[in-house]
Amino acid sequence: MSELTQETGPAARVRVVIVGAGMAGVQTAVALREQGFPGSVTLIGAEPHRPYDRPPLSKAVLLGKAEGSAFDVDFENLDVELRLGLEVTGVRPASRELDTAQGRVPYDVLVVATGAEPVRLPGTEGVPGVHLLRTLDDAERLRPVLAGQHDIVVVGAGWIGAEFATAAREAGCAVTVVEAADRPLVGALPAEVAAPMAAWYADSGASLRTHARVERVEPGAVVLDDGSRLPAGAVVVGVGARPATSWLAGSGIELGAHREIVADDHLRTSLPDVYAVGDCASFPSGRYGERLLIHHWDNALQGPRTVAANIVGETPAPYDPVPYFWSEQFGRFVQYAGHHGAADALLRRGDPAGPSWSVCWLREGRLVAVLAVGRPRDLAQGRRLIESGTRMDPALLTDPTRPLKGAAL
């Protein structure tokens, strides 16, 4: 067990409190029990809903094909106490207590898994018809909007904007996506990779307007900075997310440049017996030689195993996964594994105007990242090659008829 456990006696008396009931929080609770932790586990969620998975919100839940996406976890059988609809407002590390609207909650070990919260569009607070898409309540508010086939303006051509536009088109809505940059996914992919994706919007019947900044949102319309007005029965904002850490002010937990919790390579924070996992925390990657802040589902699935192993007293390997995410948009299945930088060599496999293609990034001859559009085998093989640090033959790698692993040296 941790130093705390050794000091306080039997492990069964140790109280682990997890703040955040999304994927990272739920999986931490599950991993603790799977790894034999005998103490008490309390999972606190700010939303009143039973813990649920988020990816279906922009797909099946939004389109009315599913009522919800609750995790298939028997919390009672796992002896995990759920405290839902409870917002945590602060941490008192000296007394090991959390501040909540229902009073203080004591802990021996604290796991912060509060995820990220969407960035709001300035000036839209209180304007009717403006929506975010992050929670189950958001999806339920948007479901009748799609069913009514309203004119919809999506602000932001990132991953969530594209996924929502896809669902809205499937529902028969007229969709205009406005993006301040010159192309989609400007923060995620280089221009030569993301630019061809702009055609996907038109292919689906959606309108993409780049170099378009929102001047203001009025009831029924979005006004751009060039004076043009876009009819909008609803406006969906997808301009990014930031770690949900404002409640940690004054706690002594170190935060980084993006207000994320600065965790070490075992996901420990700057305070003893306090861990951070998922979208709210960054960690140092030995594989990539830099600190990573990953806002994706797979990171929230993987990290809890490391946290649980630390709490039960094992010595896990440093947390250094190959990042992975996927996106379903405009009839295409997009997957990405790894992490690339501007200096990494970019190599293509296939024609980006076609239905399936991949992009690989090499650093010192080794594969560090792969983006696969409709080529799941490239992704699966690429992920393993990244993990193993295998050197690649660039000439063989760019041949899309050859399996990716066939380019390994």
Side-chain angles (χ1 to χ4, degrees), residues 180-197:
D182 62 348
R183 62 185 186 277
L185 298 167
V186 69
L189 297 172
E192 60 264 48
V193 177
M197 297 177 173

Side-chain angles (χ1 to χ4, degrees), residues 1-11 14 37 96 108-109 264 268 270-275 307 309-315:
M1 291 287 169
S2 67
E3 292 180 9
L4 172 84
T5 312
Q6 295 167 358
E7 291 169 2
T8 56
V14 174
F37 177 69
R96 295 188 187 247
D108 296 315
V109 178
D264 70 7
R268 297 172 294 212
S270 56
L271 292 182
D273 291 299
V274 179
Y275 298 85
V307 172
N310 279 291
I311 293 172
V312 302
E314 295 180 5
T315 306

